[in-house]
Amino acid sequence: MLEVSTLRSPNKADRAAVVGDHLHHHVVGFPAPPATDEDDDTFIVDDCSLLDYIDFSCCDVPFFHADDGDILPDLEVDPTDELLAEFESSPGDEARTTAASTAESEPAAADCCGGTKGDVKEDGAADESSPLPHGKKDLDQLDEVEAETTKEFKNGDDEVLSAVTSEDSPAAAGCDAKSSAPPAAEGHSKRKASSSPTTTTTGKNSHGKRKVKVDWTPELHRRFVQAVEQLGIDKAVPSRILELMGIECLTRHNIASHLQKYRSHRKHLMAREAEAVSWTQKRQMYTAAAAQAAARGEPGKDAAGVAPWVVPTIGFPPPPHVAAAMPAPPAAPPFCRPLHVWGHPTPGGAEATPPQVPVPPPLLPVWPRHLAPPPQLQLPLPAAWAHHRHPAPVVDPAYWQQPQYYNVARKWGLQPVTPGTPCLQPQMPPPALLQRFPAPPVVPGMVPHPMYIPIPPQPLPPPSPGNKLAALQLQLDAHPSKESIDAAIGDVLVKPWLPLPLGLKPPSLDSVMSELHKQGIPKVPPAAAVSGGAG
DNA sequence: CCCCAAATAT
DNA sequence: TATATTTGGG
């Protein structure tokens, strides 16, 4: 059994307790509970079932359900937004839902886990009994759970959000989390010890399993990010973050881990981006060169030859007008799930401001491959592209400020990238646009993806004799490393656009496009048929 | 206490 | 298998 310790917050009174599943639906968030001070320490979740059912994976998706349709609301969210409940399940099933709670703007008070889904650790026992037929629920801890409203309805289940860990750390405890199990036994219970078979977490329904790990739900993550941002670099250390977050359910370790990952993730992104950018640039340069060559009437350079090289800009955001002219992205995924947790919370407003131009983003956010987007969850999301206009990209200052990353950031010029923001669901381009989007030809060696137009490496048009640049580029691009490709692809998937490294000066897309246009070259290779687009 | 790297679980 | 999270060490 796992125990979760709850943290108590000194100040906060709030905490929601979690409820056991037994309740079927009662969620229980107690807004501020008068509760139990006594108890603060631990909650037990008994039910096993709850957790089980909860599909954490889905959790990520919480947004979708949003009533408002928002997706990743920012931290500040209104209650409404915050609800992240995910209900993926349908009523019929077990339903698992999770709701998020509201968050408050207040960091401190935050609710912690607003989003967390319950995790709990388990141990065993508890009762698995969980008799609940279907319900499972979690609870949330949120302090204020106002949001509940929605949640409750939803499936009737409840959800919870708490994260929990079992750490021993008392300190941590406090939260509302749910915890469960009896403390006893193992005492420390680190999950690890048990190897118990059960484990599970994710959803399965069976009853016995629960999540052991802290579930970093988007909500939680948001909070995390927020905290980090608020703290700013220096202070963005686990302990501070924890404090800021106010979530007592989490332990420093949890935070630290998450932080680590967060950084790591960023680092990777940066690296990939850099690569992608460079690759893209080369490509673009080549394109430009080719276009010029074509313009000169060089043989072999016709629209066809050139067009293939026109790729959606991966490296940088196309200017609005260009974007408009560009081919619409193939089909947008049914919905996007936030980059798990790694993204930044979009601070308010960003999403709030819909892009003036409903231009479909050339690039789409990533949806974890392992997750199949629930069909039902298709929500209209605000265009992610709003990013272009974001006055100030929301970046996690803290992140970048960290020495190691700061340097990197400078190096790569990533300042404004907002890593996780992307999870907005791109709007589905109008049919007309979709048609314009030729299906990417299947190119051996290239990974087919609806998101980008594959550019066959091999079929490069021979450089014209006089075109050194083209030749050079050809060489460079002819055999892109797998990584490069991957990076490019990943890039596309991950973010709509990337800032170029400071040192690089990409040819303007406009110039390229206009060049092509002059030549009568279609923006997109006519050939391809639209792939399933939506797929 | 924090960061990094590895191990493990999901 | 890949990814996420946790655990352990410096």
Side-chain angles (χ1 to χ4, degrees):
Chain A
M1 337 208 137
L2 305 180
E3 340 182 297
V4 176
S5 27
T6 50
L7 300 181
R8 37 185 38 253
S9 18
N11 305 335
K12 310 153 168 228
D14 19 330
R15 321 159 169 177
V18 173
V19 177
D21 312 350
H22 347 5
L23 317 175
H24 303 319
H25 354 281
H26 312 345
V27 170
V28 178
F30 306 90
T36 69
D37 298 357
E38 359 170 333
D39 308 326
D40 339 357
D41 298 303
T42 341
F43 291 78
I44 297 182
V45 174
D46 316 353
D47 322 333
C48 356
S49 43
L50 312 197
L51 304 178
D52 299 345
Y53 286 113
I54 300 174
D55 192 2
F56 298 100
S57 41
C58 307
C59 295
D60 299 326
V61 187
F63 315 116
F64 300 96
H65 150 27
D67 312 1
D68 359 57
D70 287 5
I71 296 186
L72 301 180
D74 233 115
L75 310 177
E76 327 190 28
V77 178
D78 314 14
T80 30
D81 300 336
E82 297 267 318
L83 310 184
L84 317 164
E86 37 184 59
F87 309 151
E88 88 173 33
S89 51
S90 40
D93 307 353
E94 336 188 83
R96 15 117 123 336
T97 32
T98 331
S101 43
T102 59
E104 313 291 335
S105 15
E106 241 234 290
D111 349 354
C112 9
C113 322
T116 12
K117 306 147 163 240
D119 343 346
V120 169
K121 320 213 89 299
E122 77 183 13
D123 0 108
D127 341 331
E128 333 196 1
S129 37
S130 46
L132 305 179
H134 43 309
K136 29 219 343 347
K137 61 202 32 334
D138 324 347
L139 334 168
D140 3 325
Q141 357 180 344
L142 309 187
D143 304 347
E144 318 143 332
V145 175
E146 313 137 36
E148 310 282 282
T149 44
T150 22
K151 316 166 175 185
E152 299 187 17
F153 314 95
K154 294 174 167 208
N155 302 292
D157 296 14
D158 331 302
E159 50 245 16
V160 176
L161 326 156
S162 30
V164 174
T165 339
S166 47
E167 311 248 353
D168 322 5
S169 22
C175 323
D176 321 353
K178 41 224 20 319
S179 36
S180 51
E186 292 83 127
H188 323 343
S189 57
K190 298 181 153 216
R191 61 194 263 71
K192 169 186 226 99
S194 51
S195 33
S196 8
T198 45
T199 70
T200 337
T201 335
T202 346
K204 296 199 109 201
N205 22 333
S206 2
H207 349 354
K209 327 175 157 225
R210 319 163 168 86
K211 226 186 191 156
V212 179
K213 303 175 178 183
V214 171
D215 195 30
W216 282 90
T217 60
E219 254 317 287
L220 239 186
H221 179 66
R222 256 184 220 78
R223 278 213 151 83
F224 167 83
V225 174
Q226 186 182 17
V228 172
E229 290 180 358
Q230 290 187 10
L231 288 172
I233 346 177
D234 316 331
K235 305 181 134 214
V237 292
S239 60
R240 301 260 155 185
I241 294 172
L242 206 161
E243 290 180 15
L244 240 184
M245 288 175 75
I247 299 178
E248 313 225 337
C249 318
L250 301 174
T251 63
R252 286 181 189 59
H253 276 86
N254 289 319
I255 301 287
S257 296
H258 196 66
L259 182 62
Q260 183 180 10
K261 191 172 180 184
Y262 179 70
R263 291 172 177 168
S264 175
H265 190 280
R266 281 246 173 46
K267 193 171 169 187
H268 267 234
L269 281 177
M270 291 191 286
R272 297 204 335 171
E273 291 173 2
E275 247 196 275
V277 169
S278 117
W279 199 52
T280 300
Q281 283 197 334
K282 290 174 185 174
R283 196 176 241 77
Q284 290 182 349
M285 290 168 92
Y286 175 77
T287 300
Q292 291 182 358
R296 286 194 289 258
E298 303 200 1
K301 309 291 174 135
D302 53 13
V306 176
W309 290 91
V310 176
V311 222
T313 336
I314 295 173
F316 41 91
H321 59 286
V322 173
M326 293 178 76
F335 72 141
C336 305
R337 162 186 135 155
L339 228 198
H340 199 185
V341 184
W342 301 114
H344 290 297
T346 28
E351 272 93 340
T353 346
Q356 301 177 0
V357 180
V359 176
L363 305 180
L364 300 174
V366 179
W367 180 271
R369 322 128 192 228
H370 58 286
L371 294 180
Q376 41 210 93
L377 293 180
Q378 307 190 357
L379 304 180
L381 302 181
W385 294 94
H387 292 305
H388 296 297
R389 302 180 187 84
H390 288 187
V394 180
V395 180
D396 199 305
Y399 176 77
W400 298 111
Q401 294 183 5
Q402 296 181 31
Q404 60 245 74
Y405 295 99
Y406 179 66
N407 290 333
V408 174
R410 289 185 63 198
K411 179 179 179 180
W412 299 104
L414 293 176
Q415 349 139 320
V417 174
T418 42
T421 324
C423 291
L424 301 181
Q425 173 169 30
Q427 294 184 346
M428 190 65 133
L433 290 177
L434 286 174
Q435 292 195 333
R436 290 177 58 195
F437 234 75
V442 177
V443 178
M446 294 292 288
V447 179
H449 193 286
M451 308 270 101
Y452 64 93
I453 298 171
I455 300 167
Q458 312 234 329
L460 291 177
S464 24
N467 194 328
K468 292 178 182 179
L469 175 60
L472 177 61
Q473 292 302 326
L474 182 62
Q475 289 186 327
L476 293 173
D477 295 339
H479 302 288
S481 64
K482 179 184 175 194
E483 185 142 32
S484 297
I485 295 171
D486 193 53
I489 295 169
D491 204 31
V492 172
L493 294 176
V494 175
K495 34 187 74 175
W497 50 271
L498 301 173
L500 288 171
L502 295 176
L504 296 176
K505 279 182 140 192
S508 76
L509 189 83
D510 290 313
S511 65
V512 174
M513 294 297 286
S514 63
E515 188 67 21
L516 292 173
H517 190 65
K518 286 188 214 165
Q519 299 178 37
I521 296 168
K523 266 90 189 210
V524 177
V530 173
S531 60

